């Protein structure tokens, strides 16, 4: 009896919209199906749409606790994460659609961070490709695989700028720079969402962790974040905004506080900036138990208070804390939260469900056939191998690389034969069994591996559990036994190629003195073993460039390329009262943008189309790049700018453009960048955003510390 009523009522609501052909289509400011639902929903049902619970995982896959199934049935939980496979999501969806009063489909979310089943290199590595097209492609493949397994929503892109290598989650982002980070955040969003969110193979993106989660004091996860509004806006916010401008329809609030207010309760972040300034139209979800945690922050008296603070700040969905489920109704009845506020949250969630096409077909994404056909295909794995190659950064090379095929090498080190570490943390549905070979296995396929060989490939780095969430380290050196092994090999007069797999910038100062070459392989994913071999033997000429500065030691941290000059810049070698260290140079070990190739690139002097421009005009800077070596190679040409005098001080160098060029030996290409008002804009002293007239320097080159400069001015 109950079922009949439920089915009839769902059909009635959806029928009106579907028969008009508009169920999943936005007309004006909303979707007809959403309006129809909002008219008949009870307060409890509306609150249910603001609740997100995780499924539990057992060794063999996901399971739902009976309690959660009851919550779904009762309309108390409208969204689930950590549940996938076409069959499993179909069954859960059936419960929501057929056994609830209104039959509103569930939204299924998951952390698809650097691949779903085919695992790509970690995001920090992806950013070292400096290639939005490759990053977009990795996200597109992830979306195809994930949606075939019933997922609608990924908690990605992670847009947290980070200059803190102690923080384990630096591995999940795109490095230290807002310009590069923005380009890649937009690329990932496009890759996930495509141009039609309702297609059965596009995935809703979630911009996280908003905001400034990547700046925890002392690099300790979840720790306090504090910075000026100007610094926040200039160096931290742009990638989040770029992802939203690219169409992302969900945002995750970060765990941290900012200026004393937990992000989860920050009206300034959620309303003033995100909705009012940026025009964001999607919904905001907490990060896990972010609501409850406001009690520990000392910001909310209890969980009820926390729920009220969060919802009144503009947080639409509560992940896992159950605070909305437990307290919102009472808060509305007590007049502490308006019904309109709950309506807004519910409506935003329903509109995204409509945009995904879930009201037209709640089972659109659960396709066992597609899951079988599109997962871990040869094509996906080939892309993962190529992109892994593109992400690796050749940090140093005295000429030993590339290795000669067929000549014996020894392979050693704790990560040499590890398939598990290749996959890193947040490996989606990736499995160790999917990894065809370790680095050792891949090298064996090319060369005899012989313990007594004079050339040794030492595969060292960090256990993959040392990166990711709750994986901060106070020491960013390699474990002592690994460096000791390198010392020992050098004492035996071996030639050593150090391959490092890790998720953060490391202090490789000693290793850089000892090793004959260092290849930063990061955690390269499913096909990482082959990719390392491709680079070592020269089948792929390395082209990755660092998206984050590598310090000489932890004492230099934070160190990044957009530092200010200070009132006492260090220019005199013997000076004492200048901004410097007594024990190390100011310069990093490896600068932002650094990365070697097996060929050489030579830059011409930058040439400007004019010495100045004004107003809405622009100038062009051109430089020639020549491949003066003997192999084909790819170079990333970088443009940096310095505003010499500003109403607030400006960085000595700030990335403002980049282009990748592939050149045959002897080939030269002209690379040009346009400089306009936008290029010169910043948050001025009065907090308006725009350019200031005056003189500027520009720098063009293959790394932030390897540039040629020119000067121009911007006039009224
Ligand atoms: C906590 C993490 O901070 C966030 O990145 C992730 O998306 C959620 N948990 C869900 O797993």
């Amino acid at each position: 009896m109950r079922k009949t009523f439920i089915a009839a009522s769902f059909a009635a609501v959806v029928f009106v919209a579907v028969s008009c052909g508009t169920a999943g289509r936005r007309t004006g400011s909303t979707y007809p199906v959403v309006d129809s639902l909002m008219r008949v929903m009870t307060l409890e049902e509306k609150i249910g749409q603001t609740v997100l619970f995780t499924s539990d995982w057992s060794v063999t896959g996901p399971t739902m606790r009976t309690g959660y199934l009851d919550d779904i049935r009762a309309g108390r939980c409208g969204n689930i994460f950590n549940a996938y496979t076409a069959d499993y999501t179909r069954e859960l969806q059936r419960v929501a659609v057929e056994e609830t009063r209104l039959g509103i489909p569930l939204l299924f979310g998951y952390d698809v961070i650097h691949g779903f089943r085919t695992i790509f290199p970690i995001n920090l590595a992806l950013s070292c490709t400096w290639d939005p097209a490759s990053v977009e492609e990795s996200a597109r493949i992830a979306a195809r695989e994930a949606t075939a397994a019933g997922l609608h929503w990924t908690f990605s892109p992670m847009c947290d700028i980070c200059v803190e290598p102690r923080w384990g989650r630096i591995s999940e982002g795109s490095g230290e720079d807002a310009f590069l980070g923005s380009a890649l955040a937009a690329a990932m969003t496009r890759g996930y969402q495509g141009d039609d969110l309702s297609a059965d193979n596009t995935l809703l993106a979630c911009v996280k962790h908003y905001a400034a989660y990547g700046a925890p004091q002392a690099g300790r996860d979840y720790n306090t974040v504090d910075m000026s509004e100007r610094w926040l806006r200039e160096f931290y916010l742009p990638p989040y905004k770029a992802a939203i401008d690219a169409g992302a329809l969900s945002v995750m609030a970060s765990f941290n506080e900012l200026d004393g207010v937990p992000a989860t309760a920050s009206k300034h972040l959620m309303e003033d900036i995100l909705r009012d300034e940026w025009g964001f139209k999607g919904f905001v979800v907490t990060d896990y138990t972010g609501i409850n945690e406001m009690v520990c922050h000392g910001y909310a008296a209890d969980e009820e208070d926390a729920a009220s603070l969060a919802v009144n700040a503009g947080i639409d969905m509560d992940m896992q804390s159950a605070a909305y489920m437990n307290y919102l109704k009472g808060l509305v009845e007590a007049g502490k939260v308006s019904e309109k506020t709950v309506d807004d949250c519910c409506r935003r969630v329903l509109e995204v469900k409509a945009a995904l096409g879930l009201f037209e077909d709640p089972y659109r994404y659960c396709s066992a056939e597609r899951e079988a056909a599109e997962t871990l295909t040869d094509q996906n794995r080939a892309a993962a191998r190529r992109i892994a190659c593109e992400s690796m950064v050749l940090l140093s090379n005295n000429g030993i690389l590339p290795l000669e095929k067929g000549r014996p090498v020894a392979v050693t080190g704790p990560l040499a034969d590890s398939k598990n570490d290749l996959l890193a943390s947040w490996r989606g549905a990736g499995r160790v069994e999917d990894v065809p070979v370790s680095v050792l296995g891949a090298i064996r396929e090319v060369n005899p591996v012989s313990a007594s060989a004079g050339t040794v490939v030492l595969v060292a780095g960090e256990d993959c559990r040392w990166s990711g969430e709750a994986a901060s380290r106070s020491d960013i050196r390699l474990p002592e036994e690994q460096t000791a092994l390198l010392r020992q090999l050098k004492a035996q007069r071996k030639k050593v190629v150090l391959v490092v797999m890790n998720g953060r910038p490391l202090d490789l100062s000693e290793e850089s003195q000892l090793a004959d070459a260092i290849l930063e392989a990061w955690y390269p994913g499913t096909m990482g073993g082959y990719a390392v071999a491709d680079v070592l033997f020269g089948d792929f000429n390395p082209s990755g460039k660092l998206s984050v500065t590598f310090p000489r030691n932890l004492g230099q941290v934070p160190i990044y390329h957009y530092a200010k000059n200070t009132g006492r810049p260090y220019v005199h070698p013997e000076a004492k009262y200048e901004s410097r260290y007594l024990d190390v140079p100011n310069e990093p070990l490896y600068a932002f943008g650094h990365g070697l190739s097996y060929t050489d690139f030579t830059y011409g002097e930058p040439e400007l189309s004019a010495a100045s421009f004004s107003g809405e005009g622009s100038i062009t800077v051109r430089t020639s790049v020549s491949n003066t070596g003997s192999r084909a190679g790819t170079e990333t040409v970088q443009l940096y700018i310095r505003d010499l005098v500003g109403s607030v001080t400006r960085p000595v160098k700030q990335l403002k453009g980049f282009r990748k060029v592939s050149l045959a030996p002897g080939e030269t290409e002209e690379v040009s960048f346009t400089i306009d008002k936008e290029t010169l804009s910043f948050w001025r002293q009065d907090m308006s955003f725009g350019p200031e007239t005056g003189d500027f320097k520009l720098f063009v080159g293959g790394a932030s510390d390897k540039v040629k400069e020119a000067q121009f001015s911007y006039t009224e």
Side-chain angles (χ1 to χ4, degrees):
M1 178 63 193
R2 186 172 166 269
K3 275 195 178 172
T4 317
F5 166 72
I6 292 161
S9 138
F10 169 65
V13 170
V14 177
F15 176 74
V16 178
V18 172
S19 61
C20 305
T22 52
R25 216 168 302 148
R26 190 184 272 271
T27 55
S29 64
T30 188
Y31 295 84
V33 66
V34 174
D35 291 334
S36 312
L37 280 168
M38 291 294 293
R39 276 197 290 275
V40 297
M41 287 173 87
T42 62
L43 177 60
E44 288 90 335
E45 284 164 338
K46 288 174 186 166
I47 293 169
Q49 291 304 307
T50 72
V51 173
L52 168 65
F53 282 141
T54 179
S55 103
D56 304 319
W57 285 83
S58 70
V59 183
T60 50
T63 58
M64 288 302 285
R65 281 211 292 268
T66 332
Y68 291 160
L69 275 177
D70 290 346
D71 289 333
I72 294 172
R73 262 186 208 109
R76 286 192 297 262
C77 169
N79 313 282
I80 293 293
F81 68 120
N82 291 338
Y84 65 82
T85 74
D87 290 341
Y88 185 59
T89 52
R90 176 175 287 275
E91 173 51 20
L92 290 180
Q93 194 67 299
R94 191 199 57 74
V95 173
V97 169
E98 291 183 15
E99 298 186 29
T100 66
R101 190 177 79 91
L102 295 172
I104 300 173
L106 293 167
L107 180 71
F108 292 112
Y110 193 56
D111 286 286
V112 181
I113 306 298
H114 52 107
F116 178 64
R117 182 74 184 271
T118 305
I119 301 303
F120 288 86
I122 54 167
N123 304 78
L124 186 58
L126 286 173
S127 67
C128 291
T129 64
W130 290 55
D131 191 344
S134 288
V135 170
E136 182 172 337
E137 184 183 351
S138 73
R140 188 82 282 280
I141 290 171
R144 266 194 239 118
E145 291 191 346
T147 50
L151 291 166
H152 311 133
W153 182 27
T154 174
F155 303 131
S156 175
M158 194 271 216
C159 300
D160 303 327
I161 292 297
C162 186
V163 295
E164 185 37 271
R166 286 173 288 193
W167 193 49
R169 305 197 77 172
I170 194 171
S171 60
E172 296 174 43
S174 290
E176 72 186 34
D177 182 68
F179 185 87
L180 178 62
S182 297
L184 301 184
M188 287 202 95
T189 304
R190 288 193 303 270
Y192 290 134
Q193 294 199 167
D195 48 21
D196 176 8
L197 199 52
S198 72
D200 65 0
N201 61 11
T202 53
L203 196 58
L204 168 68
C206 182
V207 179
K208 74 184 191 187
H209 306 83
Y210 180 70
Y213 180 42
Q217 289 180 1
R220 209 179 68 225
D221 208 359
Y222 318 121
N223 203 6
T224 306
V225 176
D226 205 305
M227 63 179 72
S228 70
E229 177 96 6
R230 173 174 290 106
W231 200 274
L232 174 75
R233 284 177 178 270
E234 175 147 18
F235 302 117
Y236 283 79
L237 292 189
Y240 306 109
K241 179 171 187 300
I244 287 157
D245 289 346
L249 278 178
S250 74
V251 166
M252 187 185 292
S254 54
F255 285 126
N256 56 283
E257 67 167 68
L258 190 58
D259 196 14
V261 179
T264 310
S266 174
K267 274 190 187 152
H268 182 50
L269 287 176
M270 306 307 158
E271 296 294 348
D272 302 348
I273 299 179
L274 183 64
R275 294 204 168 95
D276 295 349
E277 281 183 39
W278 298 354
F280 175 65
K281 296 279 184 277
F283 69 83
V284 182
V285 62
T286 60
D287 190 355
Y288 223 79
T289 42
I291 295 183
N292 298 349
E293 291 171 28
M294 288 201 282
V295 177
C296 293
H297 273 290
Y299 193 77
D302 51 33
E303 288 181 5
E304 183 176 14
D305 187 26
S308 152
L309 287 164
V311 77
N312 284 326
I315 303 283
D316 305 298
M317 191 187 282
D318 171 7
M319 182 194 292
Q320 198 60 15
S321 88
Y324 279 11
M325 183 171 88
N326 293 336
Y327 301 110
L328 274 195
K329 184 162 182 263
L331 285 164
V332 170
E333 285 163 359
K336 292 189 179 160
V337 171
S338 72
E339 202 161 345
K340 155 96 172 58
T341 300
V342 177
D343 279 3
D344 288 346
C345 298
C346 174
R347 178 181 285 280
R348 290 182 190 127
V349 173
L350 292 180
E351 287 192 345
V352 170
K353 289 186 178 184
L356 283 159
L358 291 176
F359 292 108
E360 287 168 339
D361 178 4
Y363 304 106
R364 175 170 292 175
Y365 297 81
C366 324
S367 159
E369 298 75 49
R370 213 159 65 73
E371 191 175 23
E374 294 194 20
T375 304
L376 207 68
T377 60
D378 286 350
Q379 223 179 350
N380 294 358
R381 296 187 323 149
R385 180 169 175 170
R386 195 198 78 239
I387 293 171
C389 289
E390 291 171 2
S391 75
M392 292 181 193
V393 184
L394 184 60
L395 295 175
S396 68
N397 184 15
N398 67 8
I400 188 175
L401 291 179
L403 297 172
E404 211 178 298
K405 287 186 186 170
R407 244 185 127 144
V409 288
V411 181
T412 186
L415 298 177
D417 204 18
S418 169
K419 290 182 175 178
N420 182 50
D421 290 288
L422 295 172
L423 296 178
S425 62
W426 289 131
R427 54 183 63 180
R431 301 178 190 163
V432 177
E433 311 86 87
D434 298 338
V435 177
V437 284
S438 63
V439 172
L440 173 64
I443 293 178
R444 267 203 190 120
E445 288 185 20
V446 182
N447 266 31
V449 176
S450 140
S452 60
T455 299
V456 180
V457 175
L458 168 57
V459 191
E462 300 178 305
D463 181 307
C464 69
R465 289 166 302 182
W466 297 1
S467 276
E469 189 175 351
S472 296
R473 291 186 68 203
S474 69
D475 186 345
I476 57 165
R477 289 173 299 179
L478 287 177
E480 168 54 23
E481 57 278 14
Q482 297 185 13
T483 309
L485 179 57
L486 174 60
R487 280 187 215 117
Q488 202 185 326
L489 291 167
K490 288 311 291 181
Q492 292 165 11
R493 301 188 177 284
K494 304 275 189 190
K495 297 250 180 237
V496 183
V497 175
L498 177 64
V499 175
V500 272
M501 283 192 213
N502 50 287
R504 52 165 56 80
L506 293 172
D507 163 0
L508 295 172
S509 289
E510 183 176 351
E511 292 76 9
S512 68
Q513 299 296 313
L514 294 170
D516 295 276
I518 304 180
L519 177 67
E520 176 53 82
W522 307 111
Y523 297 118
T526 307
M527 301 302 282
Y530 282 128
V532 168
D534 291 342
V535 172
L536 292 181
F537 293 102
D539 289 331
F540 187 93
N541 188 354
S543 59
K545 299 278 187 179
L546 292 179
S547 61
V548 67
T549 303
F550 272 45
R552 288 176 190 274
N553 62 27
L554 193 54
Q556 286 188 318
V557 168
I559 183 166
Y560 45 87
H561 79 275
Y562 44 92
K564 308 284 186 79
N565 205 33
T566 81
R568 293 189 176 194
Y570 178 47
V571 281
H572 304 100
E574 302 309 322
K576 177 166 172 59
Y577 296 100
E578 291 185 353
S579 184
R580 58 172 293 202
Y581 297 103
L582 294 178
D583 52 349
V584 285
N586 281 5
E587 291 71 37
L589 184 63
Y590 300 116
F592 176 82
H594 168 78
L596 305 175
S597 162
Y598 296 149
T599 191
D600 298 309
F601 297 103
T602 309
Y603 283 73
E605 292 300 323
E607 284 176 21
L608 286 158
S609 58
S612 69
F613 72 104
S614 60
E616 304 297 316
S618 64
I619 50 171
T620 303
V621 55
R622 280 201 175 72
T623 190
S624 65
V625 187
S626 309
N627 180 346
T628 47
S630 54
R631 286 168 176 262
T634 299
E635 171 71 327
T636 301
V637 184
Q638 301 156 40
L639 169 74
Y640 299 86
I641 298 266
R642 177 176 181 186
D643 185 344
L644 296 183
V645 181
S647 62
V648 294
T649 59
R650 305 295 301 134
V652 173
K653 263 178 209 154
Q654 192 173 17
L655 184 73
K656 289 292 179 180
F658 60 90
R659 299 263 186 291
K660 280 186 97 162
V661 283
S662 294
L663 299 172
E667 195 183 355
T668 295
E669 194 167 314
E670 289 262 302
V671 175
S672 66
F673 298 95
T674 301
I675 297 170
D676 59 14
K677 180 177 144 182
E678 195 57 33
T679 323
L680 310 182
S681 292
F682 64 99
W683 294 92
R684 297 173 288 206
Q685 193 168 52
D686 63 0
M687 288 308 282
S688 61
F689 186 74
E692 286 177 351
T693 55
D695 295 330
F696 295 79
K697 274 189 179 175
L698 67 79
F699 312 86
V700 182
S704 63
D705 63 347
K706 231 162 75 190
V707 288
K708 300 203 165 180
E709 62 179 80
Q711 201 148 339
F712 67 93
S713 31
Y714 179 65
T715 58
E716 290 294 346

